[in-house]
């Protein structure tokens, strides 16, 4: 056989196609998706709450609204409501100017402060970006108000203005930025990426199982009704989810420092996660056979951006944002953030995950009912006698 003949074989052609297809899909999906960093930082919603009874708070609020690079800045919200939205990751940053801020600026015995609160239990880009923003704001305000306050104090003692400016630079800062991080995630990328890794660890296996179990469904047609075989496929997927979920949860607890009372919650979510991912990826396999795996690859790659582990939904471009609403990874990742590191309710995300699974299973039922015609069932005992 010549090399050119070998290249014309089915296996060689398939390998060439998959090599090019995977490269095009990965770069064509990842590179456009990650251009949102830092380009879409301005899409993140923040809140500035001014409770100051003096003039300084209003001036700072007006200045921040004009200077900060965010298009969605809420100012007509209470601090309590803003912090609740922050816990739910509906806000990226809460800036609170307290009631006594102006008075504290005039009091040399008290340091004035502004509270900057951010939530670490969410997309890594959001937390790191907000930390940089807060650092820049504090640096600017610290220099501005320390000099103004110090100069005012010295001027009260009838020191000439030129001398007051020189002395002001030697006086300790009167402004302190109070940075508060809620739902702190322990150091280490293995902690930041744990929600995504837990989800992907079962998604990939479920995607492969979709091809294998749907293949088993087709091979065994005629040995049982398609309804019975479909139920067998679903039960097998749940059984695999129990075993794989236990293994993945065990590894996560062995490497990450997690609270023991979370084990059964994570295991339970892994079981649900596997079943949902199986039915979701099985749709195209039931529909077009093993070739459906080719479509499942780009769908998986889209979800690595659309799951919200790195980029928040507010920053995503429209195709990824749309995908986050109808695919399982987003709900699973956000549920893990809320359950492991967060303080918000995990229920909405688990319900969303379950809804994706139920809809996917119903679609599979329709595909099996319409496209897979029933075959006469042969008793296995009679066929064995023959």
């Amino acid at each position: 056989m010549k090399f050119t003949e070998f290249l014309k074989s089915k296996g060689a052609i398939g390998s060439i196609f998959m090599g090019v297809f995977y490269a095009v899909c990965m770069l064509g999906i990842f590179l456009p998706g990650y251009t949102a960093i830092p380009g879409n930082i301005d899409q993140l919603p923040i809140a500035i709450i001014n409770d100051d009874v003096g003039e300084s708070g209003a001036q700072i609020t007006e200045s921040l609204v004009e200077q900060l690079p965010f298009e969605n800045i809420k100012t007509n919200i209470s601090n309590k409501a803003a912090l609740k939205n922050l816990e739910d990751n509906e806000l990226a940053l809460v800036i609170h100017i307290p009631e006594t801020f102006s008075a504290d600026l005039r009091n040399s015995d008290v340091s004035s402060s502004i509270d900057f609160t951010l939530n670490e239990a969410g997309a890594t880009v959001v937390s790191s970006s907000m930390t940089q923003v807060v650092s820049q704001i504090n640096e600017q305000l610290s220099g501005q108000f320390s000099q103004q306050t110090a100069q005012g104090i010295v001027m009260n003692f009838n020191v000439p203005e030129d001398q007051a400016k020189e002395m002001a630079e030697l006086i300790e800062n009167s402004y302190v930025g109070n940075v508060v991080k809620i739902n702190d995630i322990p150091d280490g990328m293995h902690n930041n990426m744990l929600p995504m890794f837990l989800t992907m660890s079962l998604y990939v296996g479920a995607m492969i199982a979709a091809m294998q179990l749907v293949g088993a469904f087709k091979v065994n047609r005629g040995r049982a009704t398609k309804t019975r075989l479909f139920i067998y496929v679903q039960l097998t997927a749940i059984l695999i989810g129990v075993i794989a979920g236990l293994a993945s949860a065990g590894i996560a607890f062995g490497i990450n420092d997690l609270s023991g009372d979370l084990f059964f919650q994570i295991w339970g979510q892994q079981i649900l996660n596997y079943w949902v991912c199986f039915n979701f990826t099985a749709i195209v396999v039931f529909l077009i056979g093993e070739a459906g795996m080719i479509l499942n690859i780009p769908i998986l790659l889209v979800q690595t951006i659309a799951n919200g582990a790195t980029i928040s939904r507010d920053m995503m471009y429209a195709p990824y944002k749309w995908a986050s609403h109808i695919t399982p990874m987003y709900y699973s990742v956000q549920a893990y953030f809320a359950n492991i590191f967060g303080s918000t309710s995990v229920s909405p995300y688990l319900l969303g995950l379950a809804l994706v699974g139920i809809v996917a299973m119903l679609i599979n039922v329709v595909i099996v009912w319409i496209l897979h015609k029933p075959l006469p069932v042969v008793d296995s005992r009679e066929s064995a006698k023959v």
Side-chain angles (χ1 to χ4, degrees), residues 119-189:
N119 185 3
E120 290 205 335
T124 54
V125 169
V126 174
S127 178
S128 61
S129 298
M130 291 304 102
T131 300
Q132 294 177 6
V133 168
V134 170
S135 178
Q136 293 173 1
I137 295 174
N138 275 329
E139 184 178 350
Q140 181 178 353
L141 292 177
S142 180
Q144 176 182 345
F145 284 110
S146 62
Q147 187 167 355
Q148 289 179 0
T149 304
Q151 184 176 336
I153 293 171
V154 179
M155 288 292 287
N156 289 335
F157 291 100
N158 297 319
V159 177
E161 183 177 355
D162 293 340
Q163 187 178 353
K165 290 181 179 180
E166 294 177 2
M167 295 179 65
E169 296 176 359
L170 302 176
I171 296 179
E172 184 178 359
N173 288 348
S174 62
Y175 166 80
V176 176
N178 183 29
V179 181
V180 180
K181 294 183 178 181
I182 63 174
N183 304 325
D184 189 34
I185 296 179
D187 294 335
M189 282 299 292

Side-chain angles (χ1 to χ4, degrees), residues 361-384:
M361 187 187 68
L362 291 177
I363 293 174
N364 287 326
V365 169
V366 172
I367 293 172
V368 169
W369 176 51
I370 295 177
L371 298 184
H372 298 265
K373 301 302 181 182
L375 297 177
V377 178
V378 178
D379 193 321
S380 58
R381 290 172 295 182
E382 293 182 2
S383 60

Side-chain angles (χ1 to χ4, degrees), residues 6 9 14 28 34 42 49 51 59 71 126 159 176 214 217-218 223 241 244 275 287 309 322 329 368 378 386:
F6 179 79
S9 64
Y34 281 114
D42 60 346
I49 300 95
D51 289 333
Q59 294 173 356
E71 296 182 0
V126 174
V159 177
V176 176
V214 172
F217 170 87
K218 293 179 179 179
R223 301 183 62 186
W275 176 78
L287 193 61
W322 177 75
M329 268 198 193
V368 169
V378 178
V386 175

